[in-house]
Amino acid sequence: MAESKHSSSGRIVRDVESAAQRTYDLLVIGGGIQGVCMALEASRRGLNALLIERDDFGGATSWNSLRIVHGGLRYLQKLDLRRYRESVAERKWFCQNFPELVAPLSCVMPLYGRGLKRPGVFRLALALNDILSRERNAGLLPDSQIPCGRLWQADEVCQEVDNIDAHNLRGGGQWHDAVMVNPQRLLIELLRWACHVGAVGLNYVEAVDLHVDSDGVEEVVCRDRVAEREITFKAKAVVNCAGPWSRLLAAKFDCDLPRLYHPTLAFNVLLNRQPMSSSALALATKTGDEQIYFLLPYGDKILAGTAHLPWTGPLTRRQVRDDQLDSFLNGLNEVAPDLQLTRDAVLRVFSGFMPGVTAGGDKVSRRPIIHDHARHGGPRGLFSVSGVKYTTARDVAQKALYVVFAGGKRDLSYRPDTNRPPSNTPQLDLQHPDALLNGDDPQQGETLRRLVQDESVVYLDDLLLRRTDWLADPRNEAAIVKRVSTLLNWRGSKSIDDADGSNVLPAVRVLKQRDDNVSCD
Ligand SMILES: Cc1cc2nc3c(=O)[nH]c(=O)nc-3n(C[C@H](O)[C@H](O)[C@H](O)COP(=O)(O)OP(=O)(O)OC[C@H]3O[C@@H](n4cnc5c(N)ncnc54)[C@H](O)[C@@H]3O)c2cc1C
């Protein structure tokens, strides 16, 4: 059991050797949002949890999300009330616990009067949404409260949205979701919380083998990708939260489980264009195809998503082809012609896999999967979990814990004193790099060093992409790398093979050469 008095204050300490001295109640494989939520929920319930991630925390699918904490209006339209309620509850949880990182987001859909997009129908959906989610703001700070939806007149849409096509426009439906100011920072804050209440989190540690004895799982053999050596961790239960790679891991440790994960490709693009509105826009084509283009204001740029495509290739690279990107840009040009998008406007492509309904299809699963391997003849104590959304990862983690620990026979209530520690807010803006680049505060180097130590930064890109948002706009890369390398006195560069090849920024992957814990070759 984890101790109730916590001394770490949310430090994520990468001490692989001492982590291997203990036996864990739960070993979680995969440090995306699903694995981090598993570690948090387990440790808040007094369980000893170890989280291992083969690359950096959150660097795979979770880094690529569109940043929406869904309130579930779309699920309501599909009458999927269970999913709707889960989403509303999780949005509230995020708004309540992370008011500085999750904020209400106004969303508007211009209505041209077809099917569900008729003003009358939309008004009903908005009213129902407000009634069914009437508890959504209980206990939230005023700035975190989710306002009611509203139907806009056509002229109001034209006033609020630049260059909107006014032909046949009949109004606009406005509802509110929430947006993650920085999903990666949110994931790190969740992990800091888990560590604060007793979890251990190790990045650059890859699970490679599972040992079982007559009682079930015994230990997981891992590769420490920094020290380049094998290390073994003992645990009573192992949960495979390896996202798109969960099926590969299930096959290695037990047997292939096709239903666990049929990969589909999804991507968003960061566009070098001024937002058309202060609200996020949900734009449908007039030809009536199903694709909705979501345009999220992102500072003075637009984050647009989400394209969903079939995927039959290997999971080693999730590269979006030029023709796929062009086709998405063509669709965006159809719904927002004034943006005049060409490939030159694309600053970054955020891509990842999502679990599909069928092999080779592009429909994303609706339900998570929690698989107890022992119930199907596999090792006792081995479980695989495949979630569908960032928004609901914590809810899935709670449900998985009840499956793992004997259907709730064990007391799984939260232990006292397991609330969130204060957020790590160094004297530096972790969102925008301006202060870093232009400021001359002599404390900057010290602040960065503390961030490196407290949040398990191994490589420079951990810091620039996954502890801060400084490289969201890649055009700043050279200046930021230079500034941070100088402040930290880090030298040299070394490429390591990236887990799935998509976030590779070789110039940034600068090895931390001064750290005694890191063996350099
Ligand atoms: C383009 C896109 C947009 C999206 N937008 C949204 C959105 O707006 N809102 C929302 O709620 N959801 C969104 N989603 C969905 C959401 O991002 C995912 O559901 C979520 O990030 C999946 O998290 P995960 O932890 O399951 O997977 P991942 O984040 O992929 O984590 C799995 C981890 O397992 C690690 N791993 C694999 N094998 C091993 C091993 N052997 N040993 C150790 N570690 C291993 C990997 O390195 C990886 O980090 C979006 C997804 C995509 C792709």
Side-chain angles (χ1 to χ4, degrees):
M1 286 282 150
E3 290 167 24
S4 60
K5 289 284 166 218
H6 320 294
S7 54
S8 75
S9 301
R11 291 187 67 219
I12 308 166
V13 181
R14 191 180 187 285
D15 184 346
V16 179
E17 288 295 333
S18 58
Q21 306 303 314
R22 298 160 62 184
T23 297
Y24 295 91
D25 295 318
L26 192 70
L27 190 155
V28 182
I29 303 172
I33 189 64
Q34 192 58 64
V36 167
C37 286
M38 280 300 302
L40 173 63
E41 288 300 314
S43 40
R44 289 195 73 192
R45 290 167 162 84
L47 299 159
N48 257 320
L50 169 66
L51 173 73
I52 55 167
E53 162 56 48
R54 71 173 170 195
D55 204 2
D56 190 26
F57 302 117
T61 322
S62 301
W63 192 73
N64 292 281
S65 105
L66 188 60
R67 304 174 176 227
I68 310 289
V69 181
H70 299 277
L73 181 63
R74 193 189 307 177
Y75 312 137
L76 184 60
Q77 286 174 331
K78 294 191 169 154
L79 297 178
D80 187 345
L81 287 185
R82 184 164 128 204
R83 204 172 177 198
Y84 171 79
R85 288 206 179 91
E86 287 163 358
S87 295
V88 171
E90 290 311 290
R91 181 183 63 188
K92 179 175 172 185
W93 186 86
F94 275 117
C95 288
Q96 192 157 28
N97 286 284
F98 297 91
E100 80 285 19
L101 286 170
V102 179
L105 172 73
S106 160
C107 306
V108 175
M109 174 177 267
L111 300 171
Y112 294 94
R114 289 179 312 275
L116 289 175
K117 288 154 201 139
R118 279 171 295 165
V121 178
F122 218 91
R123 181 185 281 117
L124 270 180
L126 293 175
L128 197 58
N129 186 28
D130 290 336
I131 292 168
L132 290 177
S133 66
R134 58 189 171 277
E135 294 299 321
R136 65 187 181 276
N137 291 324
L140 295 189
L141 294 171
D143 284 350
S144 298
Q145 305 221 343
I146 306 288
C148 287
R150 189 165 69 79
L151 210 61
W152 289 7
Q153 299 297 321
D155 54 359
E156 193 176 356
V157 180
C158 292
Q159 263 168 30
E160 295 293 325
V161 183
D162 293 341
N163 300 317
I164 192 72
D165 179 1
H167 184 62
N168 283 340
L169 181 67
R170 295 178 58 191
Q174 184 198 28
W175 72 99
H176 295 84
D177 265 323
V179 62
M180 305 177 227
V181 177
N182 179 347
Q184 192 53 37
R185 199 59 234 162
L186 182 58
L187 184 142
I188 293 296
E189 290 293 339
L190 283 158
L191 182 56
R192 287 187 60 245
W193 185 356
C195 292
H196 178 63
V197 293
V200 176
L202 301 174
N203 47 356
Y204 299 100
V205 170
E206 179 172 14
V208 291
D209 202 1
L210 177 75
H211 289 170
V212 286
D213 62 15
S214 53
D215 290 332
V217 301
E218 186 196 12
E219 55 189 24
V220 177
V221 182
C222 297
R223 185 163 71 104
D224 178 344
R225 298 184 72 207
V226 176
E228 291 297 355
R229 64 171 172 238
E230 195 177 282
I231 188 129
T232 298
F233 299 98
K234 289 192 184 307
K236 295 173 202 158
V238 172
V239 185
N240 163 17
C241 292
W245 302 274
S246 53
R247 192 170 147 192
L248 294 175
L249 213 56
K252 196 180 235 186
F253 290 177
D254 177 21
C255 63
D256 188 16
L257 298 169
R259 75 181 186 107
L260 195 60
Y261 210 100
H262 296 300
T264 65
L265 180 68
F267 69 89
N268 307 314
V269 287
L270 181 63
L271 299 169
N272 191 14
R273 293 286 185 272
Q274 286 289 335
M276 292 162 63
S277 165
S278 57
S279 295
L281 300 177
L283 303 179
T285 60
K286 287 194 172 175
T287 47
D289 67 27
E290 273 196 14
Q291 170 84 51
I292 302 285
Y293 295 86
F294 213 73
L295 273 59
L296 190 71
Y298 185 81
D300 58 356
K301 303 179 191 62
I302 298 174
L303 188 57
T306 294
H308 292 281
L309 298 163
W311 182 268
T312 50
L315 295 176
T316 42
R317 278 205 162 265
R318 54 169 191 272
Q319 199 128 31
V320 175
R321 293 196 317 260
D322 284 350
D323 61 306
Q324 295 171 324
L325 181 59
D326 289 344
S327 157
F328 188 64
L329 294 178
N330 289 343
L332 281 167
N333 279 327
E334 195 184 321
V335 294
D338 280 61
L339 292 178
Q340 298 188 17
L341 297 172
T342 60
R343 266 189 235 160
D344 290 346
V346 177
L347 295 174
R348 197 183 272 294
V349 177
F350 292 94
S351 68
F353 296 113
M354 293 185 78
V357 178
T358 53
D362 63 357
K363 289 266 168 298
V364 176
S365 296
R366 290 178 177 191
R367 299 260 174 259
I369 289 176
I370 301 169
H371 182 87
D372 177 352
H373 288 251
R375 292 190 64 186
H376 302 268
R380 206 156 352 124
L382 176 64
F383 300 83
S384 289
V385 175
S386 165
V388 180
K389 286 280 173 190
Y390 196 120
T391 307
T392 44
R394 190 193 72 101
D395 180 63
V396 174
Q398 297 193 92
K399 289 178 174 139
L401 278 180
Y402 279 90
V403 174
V404 174
F405 292 98
K409 279 184 210 136
R410 183 171 182 157
D411 174 15
L412 287 179
S413 49
Y414 285 140
R415 297 293 183 262
D417 299 332
T418 57
N419 289 337
R420 190 186 161 202
S423 71
N424 205 4
T425 42
Q427 310 289 63
L428 206 51
D429 183 346
L430 302 182
Q431 193 63 24
H432 307 286
D434 305 357
L436 173 84
L437 290 173
N438 305 322
D440 52 4
D441 178 358
Q443 289 303 309
Q444 278 190 352
E446 185 47 37
T447 306
L448 284 181
R449 269 188 289 283
R450 214 168 319 121
L451 205 62
V452 167
Q453 274 167 16
D454 291 354
E455 298 191 352
S456 193
V457 171
V458 177
Y459 297 100
L460 194 53
D461 59 313
D462 301 343
L463 181 63
L464 303 188
L465 290 168
R466 293 178 292 274
R467 304 299 179 280
T468 70
D469 215 10
W470 290 337
L471 277 195
D473 182 343
R475 292 172 303 178
N476 293 324
E477 182 175 320
I480 294 173
V481 167
K482 188 164 171 231
R483 175 82 179 136
V484 174
S485 306
T486 306
L487 283 171
L488 288 172
N489 200 12
W490 286 5
R491 299 165 286 124
S493 74
K494 178 193 178 204
S495 238
I496 66 163
D497 57 324
D498 183 82
D500 66 7
S502 56
N503 297 333
V504 189
L505 295 172
V508 184
R509 212 148 245 247
V510 178
L511 191 66
K512 181 172 139 185
Q513 294 195 334
R514 293 242 154 167
D515 192 322
D516 294 334
N517 295 325
V518 178
S519 67
C520 311
D521 47 27

